[in-house]
Amino acid sequence: MAAFSSASVTPKSTVLPSLPKPHRPSSAAYLQSPPLKFNNSYKTTSSTTPPPVFCTLTEHPMTSTEEELRPDSFGRFGEFGGKYVPETLMYALSELEDAFKSLSADQEFQKELDGILKDYVGRETPLYFAERLTESYRHPNGEGPHIYLKREDLNHTGAHKINNAVGQVLLAKRLGKKRIIAETGAGQHGVATATVCARFGLECIIYMGAQDMERQALNVFRMRLLGAEVRPVHSGTATLKDATSEAIRDWVTKVESTHYILGSVAGPHPYPMMVREFHAVIGKETRKQALDKWGGKPDVLVACVGGGSNAMGLFHEFVDDKDVRLIGVEAAGFGIESGKHAATLTKGEVGVLHGAMSYLLQDEDGQIVEPHSISAGLDYPGVGPEHSFLKDIGRAEYFSVTDEEALEAFKRLSRLEGIIPALETSHALAHLEKLCPTLRDGAKVVVNCSGRGDKDVQTAIKHLKL
Amino acid sequence: MASNPSNVFLQGGKFTEFGKPITLRKLFFSNPSVLPYNYRNFGAHISCSAIVEKLSPAAGQGELDSKSLTTRYLMTQKLPGQTEKPFSSTGKFGRFGGKFVPETLITCLSILEAELTLALHDTDFQEELATELRDYVGRESPLYYAKRLTDYYKNSEGKGPEIYLKREDLVHTGAHKINNAIAQAMLAKRIGRKSIVAATGAGQHGVATAAACAKLSLECTIFMGSIDIERQSSNVLHMKNLGAQVKAVDGSFKDAMSEAIRNWVGSLETRYFLSGTAVGPHPCPTMVREFQSIIGKETRKQAKEKWGGKPDVLLACVGSGSNALGMFHEFIGDEDVRLIGIEASHSASLSRGDVGVYHGTMSYLLQDEEGQIIGPHSIGVGLEYPGVSPELSFLKESGRAEFYTITDDEALDAYERLCRLEGIIPALEACHALAYLDKLCRTLDDGTKVVVNCSGRGDKDAAAVIMRKQDRLES
């Protein structure tokens, strides 16, 4: 069954007509626990770490923008998001939602997740003051912003992807699932999924586009070494979007035994919310560390955006802090005007892809345009619905950066700080070139260093001719 | 409330702060800047929770003579039959160690020693280093309970030891080498050197040095054997990307090391030789060991937090000994902790070597009857060194530590096992330590706490493992 093709949809007004409540299977835990509201208490200056996962779902559909419930009970962020899936998957999705809600209230689960994040993944990751990078952006009069890197590259497996993989696999175990499936583009999410499946002893199947498998042969071997089965996908353009569609197809047929670990904040509700919550630990730690380091909040947060998971992980904590600027950086490939890019929020239009309504790169017929970026992780024609929402309400700003600029930033961070960033991260770092001259002296900029670049050194050397 | 070590005095045999007695535990555990490198006498084995000293005003200016140092240590737990001399400028561990170098280098090494001592005394340096280790390197690395590996080694009654992994694979650059590289690079900068020269075998030390130099804006030249450059091409690319110059030397690591030292001797005032291994003339073995000892210190603290006690067995792979010493050194004085080092079977200096002098130090090494060095081999390239640290030689001879060997095939099996069971891809070097669990676990009581030093990650070895697997399938 093909994934839904997108259609150009004119944006509706933000107030939705009230819809009848969807049928929910009765669940004792669900009925007994009160709707969980967003809890602000941990924003005070206590040194205790908040629990890793919060569930912000409430019972009430979104009625006004002041409420800003993200998402509402239908899984919508404004008009974006939702659950555009075949009937067979509706039960699985609401089961997932219920499980997630009950687990975020479960102290045992929180403790277990906390322990794994600490001992297995290696959290908390440092907030590192990049001294030489800061100096390079200083004006001649000695003024300039202070640049901090959130070191997600130090996580186990070398990217932020593991935060979500660990949370979801624990969830899957609670649900009694024995089989895990996932899609992957660059291979990082595949490796993270294979890693956690090995750790917890679950069967693991990864869908990967045949073209991607050729480009990322080493990651394919790593996945196989970790005990996962890697299935090539030959349909369509044999890249990430086709792998995602194939994974969804698999899930539809084996829904009782299988859990689908989606790698990003895209897909049908509750995935955007769940993946965001599992990554939100990034933002929570940043808040605590910022308080420790300079006694305040960051002024600007910068992150690269492919599907949007690392950006949401950093931003989510600070969305309600209006004095914190949120900046997402997408891949402009060969340039926005060239047509070979992955700048969904800049050049895309609203449509439905992989179960959610969001911005995406489509032609006049509503067919998906093949994106391009030197970094495989940003090579996704869609974007998470929450990012589309944040862009529309003006809470977050989105820019794009070309392959060349990203490669320059890759080289710059390696030479100045001795940290080799992933090419995906390099896009966020490249944006500093345009951003820093506009900031006041002493502004605190936190860049999410979402992964390490060991996997990209070959590509970079080829292009940079070192 | 954290205590500032500079406020702590020794009065009447007890440590006091502002006149009130202070427990060392409170001082040690509450002040993170004390954690990396307490000053300690090179040569006396002092339990880690013992010493932080206030410098007497007279010695505060600079030079510390050995007499004032020897009168300073208060709680010493000597090994039975220990012949190790207290701190002296020869750097001996029993009969091992020393400074077998040409005259030109002697002064240079003494200066280095003095600088090192000063740096370790300086709380500012300690604090800066602690910050770098925390924010740049990503310490402290977790002590991870490997449940599936533990279950795998349980016997038919469900009894067996508990296996913990010290996750040095999670630190920046993916191996323990950075602990030493960043500290020495900071020391070099402090002394005023602008250019670093180093030698690397597997490339990990090269990458760590290049990263530290990039961060501290020091010029960096790495010497690497041409055989190694071919085998470890990805690490070579890393070094180049980080801005280091990589110079090829005919041969392997031992030749690269000789060339690097030659290069250093040529311009002693401007260059700093950053040794990655715990070998070489004094103070190199001691310096590298001090900087790597953060591993053991953290392990002690984490073991206390996790199970309220100490580890029973420590297991680490031994090439030249830096990661092993980093883990062991903290526990040398604890008689009830077993120290086990694992070498590669074709590079087993301690198990199969004889005593001799190599690269400036007396230690066990692989030599033929004429005293010529035998080229070692291992699938774990980082273990391929014909010598070993003098301190480990001393520990072997005094019987404090045990050393065994593991073959290439056993290491490869351990690589795959950890991948499948725990989702951690270990470095082939660390696999040697993991492989020994096969033989060790059967002999241990139920509930024994075994800590294995997972000294690096194995992404760099994936290509080599693929090739070996194909060879094995074909044969």
Side-chain angles (χ1 to χ4, degrees), chain A residues 119-120 126 128 132 151 156 195 198-199 201 221-222 224-225 293 410 414-418 452 454, chain B residues 134-136 144 148 167 172 214-215 217 238 240-241 243 306 415 420-423 457 459 466:
Chain A
D119 282 349
Y120 186 65
Y128 167 69
R132 286 192 79 196
R151 301 290 301 277
H156 184 42
T195 301
R199 167 70 183 77
F221 180 67
R222 278 166 86 193
R224 290 191 170 135
L225 206 59
K293 281 194 181 321
F410 178 92
S414 306
R415 298 282 162 106
L416 288 180
E417 294 290 347
R452 62 177 185 244
D454 298 29
Chain B
R134 187 193 63 200
D135 285 349
Y136 183 65
Y144 165 69
R148 286 193 81 200
R167 300 291 300 279
H172 186 44
K215 177 176 168 27
S217 59
H238 277 72
K240 288 195 172 139
N241 190 47
K306 284 197 180 317
Y415 185 91
R420 296 269 161 138
L421 290 180
E422 293 289 345
R457 61 178 184 245
D459 302 46
I466 306 177

Side-chain angles (χ1 to χ4, degrees), chain B residues 398-470:
Chain B
S398 58
R400 178 65 186 91
E402 311 157 44
F403 297 92
Y404 306 102
T405 58
I406 284 287
T407 63
D408 283 355
D409 285 336
E410 290 170 323
L412 282 166
D413 288 337
Y415 185 91
E416 287 185 51
R417 195 178 311 130
L418 198 70
C419 289
R420 296 269 161 138
L421 290 180
E422 293 289 345
I424 299 172
I425 306 183
L428 279 171
E429 292 82 3
C431 290
H432 287 71
L434 291 161
Y436 189 68
L437 288 171
D438 273 4
K439 302 185 182 118
L440 178 68
C441 291
R442 296 179 242 140
T443 66
L444 295 174
D445 291 333
D446 184 37
T448 317
K449 312 274 191 248
V450 180
V451 174
V452 184
N453 200 7
C454 191
S455 55
R457 61 178 184 245
D459 302 46
K460 61 182 175 67
D461 297 314
V465 174
I466 306 177
M467 269 172 38
R468 274 298 272 259
K469 269 188 92 146
Q470 280 172 354

